[in-house]
Amino acid sequence: MFFHQDATFEALSIHRVGNKAQDESYILSDEPVSLEGDEVLPGLLMQYFMSPFAKVNEVYRLYHPNEELDLNEVFYFVRQYFKEQLPFHDFSQQISKHLYEVSNHPKIKAGEVYVVALKNVQIEGEEHNAIGIFKSENKETYLKVYPEQGAFTLEYEQEAININKLDKGCIIINVEEEEGYKVLVLDQTNRQQEAVYWKDEFLKLRVRNDNFNQTGNYLKVYKNFVQEKLDETFELEKADKIDLMNKSMNYFKEKETFVQEEFEEEVLGNPQAIALFQDYKAGFEDEFDSPFQSSFEIADKAVKKMESSYKSVLKLDKNFHIYVHGKREYLEKGFDEDKGMNYYKVYFENES
């Protein structure tokens, strides 16, 4: 869990980074921004920079594909700053220049880069110093209305920033340096392929394999297995797949601790299906370098996040939807020769 309510700004520097692919330049400021004496601006900036991270659960690590962390530019400069080997403003300039170098896609927007030194950031119950790196790309027009001599005056301001809409940001927390620090990341414009440069090219991140990600990834892998793999070996109706999905979701909602053998026996049951799932899961572990533990604490937030993607609805033409929550044996499928149509027979005790 991440809390910023007690955090304070130690320093702030602002630069502008253009699109290198479009021959735009970058502009580096000569000195940090002074916030002394201003009672309003720090609070607005804290809302703009930090509030969007309140609902972020995934924790990432800085890494490099060659497994040499020093080859990750952000890690290299962040570590120098945390070890007081690089002054803050120089650090912010180096970070901005690196961001410029990876801004190579023609659709990447130019924008201001805010680099912030933070104190008393709390994550997972502990307080640490941190670095925040944020970028604003999208501007809006604002109207200002105020009274003047018995009437009202209307003005506008173009190219203004909405403090409730942070485009991109990351918070790098000064803990677990040897593993690539704890990193929270946000990319509100990451709906297009060109936007992945923020996570993949600039920061070079991979997900920390904690309980939240173990829980979420296991549910994802199992869901894909049921929907994509089981058909190759077993003849399953859609109701059977829904039943298998419901069993897995119920397991994760009812248990506090995941145990692999227990899950396989209670949810899959069939030795052949268990062997298929183990092979399928191993493929995920190899591809994403993210091994599953045989036992881990179940993260309720990860379960709730995945629950909406676990569909339990049988859609019958455009006439009926059957929601299947359990008791697969009370649902029978058949074919009516006279009507030439499929049917479902549903058994129940009470109607409400």
Side-chain angles (χ1 to χ4, degrees):
M1 184 66 72
F2 172 76
F3 292 98
H4 68 274
Q5 284 76 4
D6 296 327
T8 56
F9 291 127
E10 294 291 289
L12 165 66
S13 292
I14 304 175
H15 311 286
R16 182 172 177 82
V17 172
N19 185 316
K20 187 177 182 180
Q22 301 283 9
D23 293 326
E24 298 173 349
S25 61
Y26 59 82
I27 301 172
L28 302 178
S29 59
D30 294 329
E31 57 187 24
V33 176
S34 175
L35 298 177
E36 291 185 11
D38 195 317
E39 298 180 358
V40 177
L41 187 56
L44 294 176
L45 290 174
M46 189 67 74
Q47 177 183 343
Y48 178 44
F49 295 144
M50 308 296 282
S51 295
F53 289 89
K55 295 183 179 180
V56 172
N57 292 300
E58 292 92 339
V59 178
Y60 289 79
R61 303 282 196 196
L62 297 169
Y63 91 111
H64 193 272
N66 293 341
E67 300 299 332
E68 292 289 338
L69 267 173
D70 279 342
L71 296 178
N72 181 313
E73 291 87 344
V74 172
F75 174 84
Y76 177 79
F77 292 124
V78 165
R79 186 174 65 174
Q80 281 195 316
Y81 167 73
F82 282 145
K83 290 184 176 295
E84 300 182 353
Q85 297 171 354
L86 185 65
F88 171 77
H89 192 67
D90 293 346
F91 160 75
S92 71
Q93 291 178 331
Q94 295 292 343
I95 287 293
S96 299
K97 286 191 283 187
H98 169 54
L99 179 59
Y100 176 75
E101 291 298 322
V102 300
S103 299
N104 284 315
H105 194 283
K107 291 187 179 180
I108 292 175
K109 295 181 180 180
E112 289 74 34
V113 176
Y114 309 82
V115 183
V116 182
L118 298 160
K119 188 176 181 180
N120 297 330
V121 167
Q122 186 180 118
I123 185 169
E124 297 172 348
E126 298 179 351
E127 287 189 347
H128 303 279
N129 294 336
I131 281 291
I133 306 170
F134 313 97
K135 186 184 179 190
S136 60
E137 297 176 338
N138 298 296
K139 305 297 192 300
E140 299 180 4
T141 300
Y142 288 92
L143 295 176
K144 294 191 227 178
V145 181
Y146 55 90
E148 187 177 87
Q149 298 179 351
F152 288 92
T153 298
L154 186 66
E155 293 183 355
Y156 67 91
E157 184 172 347
Q158 292 181 312
E159 298 293 304
I161 297 172
N162 185 340
I163 64 170
N164 295 312
K165 293 182 180 179
L166 178 66
D167 291 322
K168 289 178 171 62
C170 74
I171 299 172
I172 303 171
I173 300 162
N174 189 14
V175 65
E176 300 178 4
E177 171 196 318
E178 294 181 357
E179 299 176 50
Y181 299 112
K182 292 181 181 179
V183 183
L184 304 178
V185 66
L186 189 74
D187 189 349
Q188 304 280 38
T189 61
N190 197 14
R191 299 185 184 94
Q192 299 175 335
Q193 187 174 359
E194 66 270 12
V196 300
Y197 83 99
W198 182 254
K199 287 183 180 179
D200 296 346
E201 300 297 327
F202 172 54
L203 293 167
K204 292 187 180 70
L205 295 175
R206 65 180 172 191
V207 174
R208 186 184 68 165
N209 205 15
D210 58 7
N211 290 334
F212 181 89
N213 290 292
Q214 287 270 314
T215 303
N217 287 339
Y218 211 99
L219 284 166
K220 288 178 187 176
V221 170
Y222 180 80
K223 172 190 169 185
N224 292 339
F225 169 74
V226 171
Q227 293 181 339
E228 301 171 4
K229 189 67 177 178
L230 272 179
D231 282 341
E232 297 178 7
T233 305
F234 300 94
E235 291 185 7
L236 294 176
E237 297 178 355
K238 189 170 182 181
D240 297 319
K241 291 184 177 182
I242 291 175
D243 185 54
L244 287 169
M245 301 269 283
N246 284 339
K247 285 181 178 178
S248 66
M249 183 57 65
N250 290 336
Y251 178 92
F252 276 88
K253 291 170 75 172
E254 294 170 2
K255 306 283 186 177
E256 294 183 357
T257 303
F258 171 88
V259 180
Q260 180 178 320
E261 291 184 2
E262 179 186 69
F263 174 85
E264 292 171 347
E265 290 177 5
E266 291 187 12
V267 176
L268 286 167
N270 184 303
Q272 189 177 2
I274 291 173
L276 283 172
F277 178 59
Q278 289 175 346
D279 288 342
Y280 188 85
K281 179 165 60 72
F284 173 89
E285 293 174 313
D286 292 340
E287 181 179 356
F288 295 97
D289 190 23
S290 184
F292 287 111
Q293 300 168 16
S294 60
S295 177
F296 55 83
E297 297 300 312
I298 293 174
D300 292 338
K301 288 188 176 180
V303 176
K304 290 178 182 178
K305 183 177 179 180
M306 283 298 301
E307 188 173 12
S308 61
S309 69
Y310 266 53
K311 306 299 183 184
S312 59
V313 184
L314 289 170
K315 296 181 179 180
L316 311 179
D317 300 331
K318 295 183 179 180
N319 301 315
F320 305 102
H321 286 178
I322 299 178
Y323 291 82
V324 184
H325 301 296
K327 299 295 183 182
R328 171 67 180 90
E329 64 272 20
Y330 293 167
L331 187 66
E332 294 181 8
K333 185 178 181 180
F335 183 80
D336 190 300
E337 296 286 350
D338 295 333
K339 290 184 170 61
M341 298 177 71
N342 298 308
Y343 66 83
Y344 274 104
K345 185 185 291 185
V346 180
Y347 296 90
F348 64 94
E349 292 181 353
N350 300 300
E351 181 178 354
S352 60

